[in-house]
Amino acid sequence: MDSLSINSLLEELKNPDVIVREQATRKLWRIWFQQKGIYGLERIDHSQKLLDAGEITEAEATLTELIKDQPDFAEAWNRRAFLYYSIANYRKSLLDCQKAVQLNSIHFGALHGMGLCYAALGDYGKAIQAFQRALEIQPYSLVNQKLILECTFRIS
């Protein structure tokens, strides 16, 4: 997908119509998951099935192998960040979120993940910054708005 189409989807994330925003969100996720074609999509899907089955080590190995094969695959980094977050390894999750954002600066999911990691680590100021960056892309995201308020409350 070309950058013009992606820019159009990013504009749709700012549309007051919830249906337009939801469709744009789904399309962006699809683009990110399909960045490396069938191979990348199948590896991510396999890792998710392993994670769902509680096979954390195998899921991590699958994602790590995918990252080694495709180091510019932002969604692979994001999925491994999710895995690390789900087992409360917030520092590793944060590093993978940062890498995903480095590769894809508009990855609102990885920005949200960064905010969650910072909050879990007690760095509420950085959490707020990450959630605000995600809100710049998805201004109607109620979850990020709520998390900003929660982090602000914890600081005060």
Side-chain angles (χ1 to χ4, degrees):
M1 181 161 271
D2 61 32
S3 60
L4 187 60
S5 298
I6 290 173
N7 288 338
S8 175
L9 291 172
L10 290 172
E11 283 305 309
E12 289 177 7
L13 293 178
K14 297 174 171 110
N15 191 302
D17 185 334
V18 66
I19 293 170
V20 171
R21 292 193 312 268
E22 287 173 354
Q23 289 174 342
T25 299
R26 279 194 302 276
K27 288 176 185 176
L28 283 166
W29 278 112
R30 190 174 318 120
I31 291 166
W32 296 340
F33 272 87
Q34 295 176 351
Q35 177 193 352
K36 293 297 179 176
I38 296 296
Y39 170 76
L41 190 58
E42 286 177 349
R43 300 312 303 155
I44 285 177
D45 185 52
H46 180 64
S47 72
Q48 187 60 50
K49 287 177 181 165
L50 290 168
L51 185 59
D52 292 345
E55 298 177 28
I56 308 296
T57 304
E58 295 84 352
E60 179 187 11
T62 298
L63 290 168
T64 299
E65 180 182 321
L66 178 57
I67 288 167
K68 284 181 184 173
D69 288 347
Q70 306 286 333
D72 62 337
F73 189 7
E75 193 53 38
W77 291 95
N78 187 55
R79 298 313 304 162
R80 193 172 71 174
F82 174 80
L83 180 149
Y84 288 143
Y85 185 85
S86 71
I87 59 171
N89 193 334
Y90 305 121
R91 293 196 189 284
K92 278 188 170 183
S93 180
L94 180 59
L95 290 173
D96 280 2
C97 286
Q98 290 169 333
K99 183 64 178 183
V101 171
Q102 178 187 346
L103 292 168
N104 179 359
S105 63
I106 60 165
H107 200 304
F108 49 80
L111 288 164
H112 173 79
M114 284 173 59
L116 292 175
C117 290
Y118 281 127
L121 293 167
D123 193 338
Y124 301 111
K126 285 187 179 177
I128 291 168
Q129 289 175 348
F131 293 134
Q132 286 174 333
R133 285 179 64 196
L135 271 179
E136 289 171 12
I137 300 163
Q138 277 187 312
Y140 288 93
S141 171
L142 294 178
V143 68
N144 287 324
Q145 293 173 21
K146 177 179 173 256
L147 288 166
I148 288 170
L149 290 174
E150 288 178 15
C151 289
T152 302
F153 176 76
R154 291 182 183 266
I155 290 173
S156 58

